Amino acid sequence: MPSSPSGVRNYLKEALVNIIAVHAEVFTVSKDLVPRVLSRIVESVADEMCRLMQCVSSFSKNGALQARLELCALRDAVTAYLNPDSNTSFRQALDSLPQLHSGADKKLLEELLNKFKSSMQLQLTCFQPSNVQPVKR
């Protein structure tokens, strides 16, 4: 049985770093294009995550917790760029997972999400809504 999740896995951090790289490139060309470009990328990533979750025939308890952690970490990181379609994909992906019933699992999920957000805080600042708006001069 897979061990209890200890954090967000590297593939998800790498995906976020790649989205950050796109953010940086688009921002240098035109910061007004960032929301449009990033919301389309987030939509594609959310759609793919949803497809992947729905391909899994059954999750172990720890596998479901790991998947939920990574979906929530990704969704929370890119909240500023969510649109109705990506919101739907995230919701469907989360709905395809077994629910967390124990308080211990819910607490672990919250602790691991907080650990992820604090360890990636610097990288995730470009996704904060305050940085989406053009600078007022």
Side-chain angles (χ1 to χ4, degrees):
M1 181 162 124
S3 60
S4 185
S6 59
V8 171
R9 291 178 297 181
N10 286 337
Y11 84 92
L12 196 90
K13 293 175 185 174
E14 190 178 332
L16 280 166
V17 167
N18 287 327
I19 296 171
I20 291 165
V22 171
H23 181 289
E25 297 226 2
V26 174
F27 192 89
T28 58
V29 175
S30 166
K31 58 185 165 224
D32 295 338
L33 281 178
V34 170
R36 190 168 21 159
V37 172
L38 259 68
S39 68
R40 294 303 294 271
I41 290 171
V42 168
E43 190 179 317
S44 296
V45 172
D47 187 54
E48 181 64 8
M49 292 291 279
C50 181
R51 189 189 68 73
L52 290 171
M53 294 302 140
Q54 292 173 341
C55 286
V56 178
S57 52
S58 76
F59 283 91
S60 68
K61 179 171 114 35
N62 288 330
L65 188 55
Q66 185 75 50
R68 187 171 296 278
L69 169 65
E70 288 164 358
L71 284 166
C72 291
L74 177 60
R75 183 197 60 202
D76 292 357
V78 297
T79 297
Y81 301 103
L82 293 176
N83 64 26
D85 290 336
S86 53
N87 268 320
T88 298
S89 292
F90 277 117
R91 191 168 41 259
Q92 288 175 346
L94 288 164
D95 287 349
S96 70
L97 301 174
Q99 292 302 306
L100 296 182
H101 294 296
S102 85
D105 285 346
K106 291 176 184 168
K107 188 173 187 300
L108 179 61
L109 177 67
E110 196 170 323
E111 284 170 5
L112 293 174
L113 265 176
N114 289 334
K115 178 177 143 188
F116 165 75
K117 288 174 188 171
S118 63
S119 70
M120 295 278 293
Q121 189 174 7
L122 180 64
Q123 293 90 328
L124 299 177
T125 52
C126 71
F127 296 140
Q128 298 310 309
S130 61
N131 296 338
V132 175
Q133 304 308 318
V135 176
K136 301 278 188 278
R137 297 200 187 277

